[in-house]
Amino acid sequence: MPGLEDLYREIILDHYRNPRNRGELETPPAISTDGHNPLCGDEITLYMLVEDGVVSEIKTNGQGCSISQSSASMMTQAIRGRTLAEAEALIHHFKHMMSIEDHHHDDPGDTPALGDLEALQGVVKFPVRIKCAVLPWNTLSQALESA
Ligand code: ZN
């Protein structure tokens, strides 16, 4: 019987092999930011279109390990259609799951669910890989600052 770790591995590999929201958006109106994790060689370019305070479109391009690329794919699914405030909350939520941020900020109480992203929680056991998983989220943070 497959355990939770096998299920998580399947979800990660599925996003790695069939990345969601892969590609580019025209800039402007979309904004783009680059992220790089030199420890592993992961690279990501994030494209985001914000309309009326909502992330109406988000796409990523890049290359790297299965953790970084699947995290980017899952992130685009979680962020698309969210308000900027919800996107910020999801970043905190994810970083908290990755044990690199305490939950001391004001939690609005209705933080959107992480969904498939929970498959990455096993990465916490491998500190070197946490940077891989968080790379797309740090890149999103940069994008939100210029939104
Ligand atoms: Zn990596």
Side-chain angles (χ1 to χ4, degrees), residues 23-33 45-51 55-59 143 146-147:
E24 301 177 6
L25 295 172
E26 197 182 331
T27 54
I31 52 178
S32 82
T33 46
T45 301
L46 183 145
Y47 299 86
M48 184 174 77
L49 183 64
V50 176
E51 294 175 304
V55 180
S56 57
E57 273 294 343
I58 180 168
K59 286 185 183 289
S146 48

Side-chain angles (χ1 to χ4, degrees), residues 1-142:
M1 219 176 109
L4 197 55
E5 296 216 350
D6 293 317
L7 175 66
Y8 283 167
R9 195 173 305 125
E10 278 304 309
I11 293 173
I12 290 169
L13 284 176
D14 178 48
H15 279 270
Y16 180 54
R17 291 174 183 144
N18 311 294
R20 320 300 200 267
N21 304 306
R22 184 98 176 156
E24 301 177 6
L25 295 172
E26 197 182 331
T27 54
I31 52 178
S32 82
T33 46
D34 294 315
H36 185 213
N37 171 21
L39 280 179
C40 180
D42 306 314
E43 292 172 2
I44 182 173
T45 301
L46 183 145
Y47 299 86
M48 184 174 77
L49 183 64
V50 176
E51 294 175 304
D52 300 324
V54 171
V55 180
S56 57
E57 273 294 343
I58 180 168
K59 286 185 183 289
T60 62
N61 245 339
Q63 55 187 358
C65 69
S66 58
I67 299 296
S68 65
Q69 301 305 306
S70 63
S71 180
S73 171
M74 297 181 207
M75 183 186 76
T76 61
Q77 277 195 318
I79 294 296
R80 194 169 167 211
R82 300 290 183 189
T83 65
L84 297 180
E86 286 171 336
E88 286 285 356
L90 269 165
I91 292 173
H92 289 302
H93 195 163
F94 184 76
K95 287 188 173 182
H96 177 65
M97 186 176 86
M98 287 289 122
S99 299
I100 56 174
E101 194 172 280
D102 291 333
H103 224 207
H104 57 64
H105 66 95
D106 288 336
D107 194 324
D110 53 358
T111 305
L114 288 172
D116 281 357
L117 287 161
E118 293 188 5
L120 288 170
Q121 62 186 252
V123 171
V124 171
K125 286 183 278 184
F126 309 97
V128 172
R129 311 310 299 278
I130 292 177
K131 285 198 188 323
C132 302
V134 172
L135 173 68
W137 297 83
N138 286 336
T139 311
L140 175 63
S141 268
Q142 283 177 40

